[in-house]
Amino acid sequence: MTAYDDLPPYLLGFPGPLRDQLVAAVLSGAKTSTTGLLAEYEAEREPLPEPGSRSLLVDSDERGVAVVEVTAVEVLRLAEVTLEHALDEGEGYTSVAEWRTAHEEFWHSEPVRTVIGDLGFTVDDDTLVIAERFRVIERLA
């Protein structure tokens, strides 16, 4: 048992290449924001993240790699996501349109639609998203 076993997991994407890419971006310092669908939180009956809360960032093998702390959370319409937020996702986006295209592809995927419980789910400008900012508190060996 470690001092971090009581922390909830911080999951980015689904296990596999995307999660590995996102975790690497966090560990490099490039990724300091992320965006989720309010519909996912509601479907999973998960509370929204709160500033100051800490979690254990896990990789595709479910190993804890870092402790992260939420620094800000906003519920926004998808159309309100800013360029700053898109850039801070650390995935190489150069515009909000590019960020949105990639996120829509993910959000319209079967795994996300399955989590939401609606295989026909689609997003539009009015879809509510959770724009979250975080920082790495500690990298784990």
Side-chain angles (χ1 to χ4, degrees):
M1 181 169 191
T2 70
Y4 309 110
D5 288 341
D6 60 336
L7 292 177
Y10 198 79
L11 306 173
L12 297 172
F14 295 105
L18 177 60
R19 180 175 291 171
D20 294 338
Q21 173 192 345
L22 298 175
V23 167
V26 170
L27 294 176
S28 75
K31 182 172 184 63
T32 58
S33 72
T34 194
T35 312
L37 294 169
L38 180 61
E40 281 187 89
Y41 284 91
E42 292 173 341
E44 295 185 317
R45 293 185 169 90
E46 289 287 327
L48 295 183
E50 294 184 17
S53 64
R54 292 185 175 184
S55 301
L56 185 64
L57 177 65
V58 298
D59 64 14
S60 288
D61 295 323
E62 303 298 323
R63 288 185 312 232
V65 296
V67 176
V68 296
E69 179 181 66
V70 175
T71 59
V73 177
E74 278 187 282
V75 179
L76 305 170
R77 292 175 49 249
L78 182 55
E80 296 171 331
V81 172
T82 65
L83 177 60
E84 178 184 18
H85 184 81
L87 295 174
D88 289 346
E89 287 219 3
E91 297 173 58
Y93 306 119
T94 59
S95 69
V96 173
E98 184 181 11
W99 170 91
R100 182 166 169 167
T101 296
H103 280 71
E104 284 186 11
E105 182 178 319
F106 178 73
W107 291 331
H108 294 161
S109 70
E110 185 176 337
V112 172
R113 288 174 167 171
T114 298
V115 167
I116 292 172
D118 179 357
L119 294 180
F121 176 81
T122 59
V123 299
D124 61 28
D125 282 351
D126 292 323
T127 300
L128 295 179
V129 298
I130 310 305
E132 182 178 344
R133 294 191 166 279
F134 58 87
R135 64 187 178 121
V136 173
I137 297 298
E138 182 179 348
R139 290 178 66 139
L140 307 177

